[in-house]
């Protein structure tokens, strides 16, 4: 990632267009590429398009998806939705900041490794208090577990970087499956109840008619965070959930897949 890569603006504007109506799409592309909206880049946008500085300020301050300062390599989204708030989400947020030595108006640690942000709801309220770091969702957290969570996440990222193809390649064994549920059945996962989670997943799939494939996987090096559940979609997007309890299975499955009955009902209307 290069903050001064002005050619990115040139390519983006060429692709999206120069009209003032394209301000949101262009800002989203910049945010995704740089992780924030660098001033030099925005100036370039104004010089190349009909978009005005006032329009950029208006749009970029209206939507909270935009950052105006650099972020750390990984964003920690701490959920402060109702369920997580009730179960101590604020203490989790404070614990991350304390552990990463972030104070005052800052939201990023001095090594620029982590940025801590609040989010409204991660959509998996049964895991409350929940946090999402990168593609991993951690549930049932306490302030004491934060150092372990961060270490586990970094180990997971390291492992992912050394086996990228293995991690992301979706090989759905059932031809008509709509995705894959990978459940850790290594010794730590099993001793912490992944067998029961496996049963709960199978039951949810039977009750909802969702045709996701359930696949058993070995240890992924996050033994402290077990039981682990990974949801992989046909487009290879993957979502990893840590410390999942059998009673969380249904909510997680329904977050990613539509029950068969609902799909049929929508088709018939
Ligand atoms: S309120 Fe936190 S996941 Fe929904
Ligand atoms: S045994 Fe499941 S992550 Fe290690």
């Amino acid at each position: 990632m290069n903050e001064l890569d002005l050619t990115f603006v040139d390519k983006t504007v060429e692709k999206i267009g120069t009209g003032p109506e394209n301000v949101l799409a262009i800002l989203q592309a910049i945010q995704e590429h740089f992780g924030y909206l660098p001033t030099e880049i925005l100036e370039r946008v104004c010089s190349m398009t009909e978009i005005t500085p006032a329009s950029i300020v208006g749009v970029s301050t209206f939507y909270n998806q935009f950052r105006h300062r650099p972020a750390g390599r990984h964003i920690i989204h701490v959920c402060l939705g109702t369920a997580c708030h009730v179960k101590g989400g604020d203490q989790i947020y404070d614990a991350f900041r304390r552990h990463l030595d972030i104070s005052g108006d800052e939201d990023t640690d001095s090594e620029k490794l982590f940025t801590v942000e609040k989010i409204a709801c991660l959509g998996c309220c049964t895991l409350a208090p929940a946090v999402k770091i990168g593609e991993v969702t951690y549930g049932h957290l306490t302030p004491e577990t934060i150092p372990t969570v961060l270490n586990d996440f970094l180990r997971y990222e390291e492992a992912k970087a050394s086996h990228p193809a293995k991690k992301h390649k979706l090989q759905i064994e059932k031809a008509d499956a709509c995705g894959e549920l990978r459940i850790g059945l290594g010794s730590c996962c099993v001793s912490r109840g992944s067998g029961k989670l496996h049963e709960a997943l199978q039951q949810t799939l039977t009750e909802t008619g969702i045709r996701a494939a359930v696949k058993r996987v070995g240890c992924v090096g996050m033994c402290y965070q077990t039981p682990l559940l990974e949801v992989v979609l046909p487009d290879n997007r993957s979502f990893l959930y840590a410390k999942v309890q059998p009673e969380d299975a249904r909510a997680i499955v329904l977050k990613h897949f539509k029950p068969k009955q609902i799909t049929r009902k929508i088709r018939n209307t």
Side-chain angles (χ1 to χ4, degrees):
M1 188 169 70
N2 181 356
E3 289 179 25
L4 299 174
D5 178 15
L6 296 175
T7 61
F8 176 78
V9 178
D10 304 8
K11 288 180 213 146
T12 304
V13 167
E14 196 185 334
K15 199 163 111 199
I16 297 177
T18 57
E21 72 281 5
N22 296 311
V23 58
L24 180 60
I26 290 175
L27 292 182
Q28 282 171 330
I30 294 170
Q31 170 76 37
E32 189 172 334
H33 184 76
F34 295 99
Y36 76 112
L37 303 177
T39 308
E40 308 90 302
I41 296 293
L42 298 181
E43 284 169 357
R44 177 80 167 186
V45 171
C46 291
S47 71
M48 292 184 66
T49 67
E50 297 158 47
I51 296 167
T52 62
S55 161
I56 287 182
V57 171
V59 172
S60 68
T61 52
F62 181 78
Y63 295 101
N64 59 13
Q65 61 183 279
F66 296 116
R67 287 182 61 85
H68 293 268
R69 52 186 169 170
R73 193 173 332 146
H74 308 291
I75 308 277
I76 301 171
H77 284 122
V78 181
C79 182
L80 293 180
T82 309
C84 290
H85 171 70
V86 168
K87 293 216 171 174
D90 291 283
Q91 285 96 297
I92 300 299
Y93 175 77
D94 290 343
F96 271 112
R97 287 179 56 88
R98 210 167 38 242
H99 183 73
L100 294 167
D101 208 11
I102 299 171
S103 57
D105 289 339
E106 296 301 321
D107 61 4
T108 302
D109 70 319
S110 58
E111 290 174 26
K112 301 269 181 283
L113 193 53
F114 290 105
T115 291
V116 186
E117 289 184 350
K118 298 176 181 177
I119 194 165
C121 178
L122 288 168
C124 49
C125 308
T126 61
L127 293 178
V131 160
K132 190 167 185 204
I133 314 177
E135 68 190 31
V136 188
T137 302
Y138 296 88
H140 308 294
L141 295 181
T142 63
E144 295 71 36
T145 55
I146 300 313
T148 318
V149 164
L150 290 173
N151 285 337
D152 277 342
F153 174 77
L154 291 174
R155 276 214 304 270
Y156 168 74
E157 284 291 297
E158 243 174 61
K160 199 174 76 174
S162 47
H163 303 288
K166 191 176 161 201
K167 168 74 183 65
H168 284 291
K169 188 128 176 59
L170 180 64
Q171 292 169 323
I172 297 176
E173 280 151 14
K174 288 188 199 164
D176 59 346
C178 58
E180 198 166 271
L181 297 168
R182 294 177 183 170
I183 179 161
L185 287 172
S187 54
C188 298
C189 288
V190 169
S191 70
R192 288 182 183 238
S194 63
K196 286 211 164 60
L197 175 59
H198 186 257
E199 282 168 25
L201 286 171
Q202 293 287 12
Q203 192 183 339
T204 300
L205 296 181
T206 305
E207 286 170 4
T208 57
I210 293 169
R211 299 187 66 86
V214 180
K215 190 170 171 187
R216 297 158 183 249
V217 296
C219 181
V220 295
M222 291 173 68
C223 302
Y224 183 80
Q225 300 298 333
T226 58
L228 293 168
L229 172 63
E230 184 179 13
V231 179
V232 188
L233 302 182
D235 59 6
N236 273 328
R237 273 182 304 143
S238 126
F239 304 84
L240 183 62
Y241 294 88
K243 286 200 169 183
V244 182
Q245 300 304 306
E247 53 272 27
D248 304 325
R250 192 179 179 88
I252 292 175
V253 170
L254 290 176
K255 183 179 173 196
H256 296 283
F257 304 107
K258 283 194 179 62
K260 209 173 172 191
Q261 296 85 331
I262 290 182
T263 313
R264 209 183 286 143
K265 226 178 189 176
I266 292 169
R267 275 204 206 110
N268 293 341
T269 53

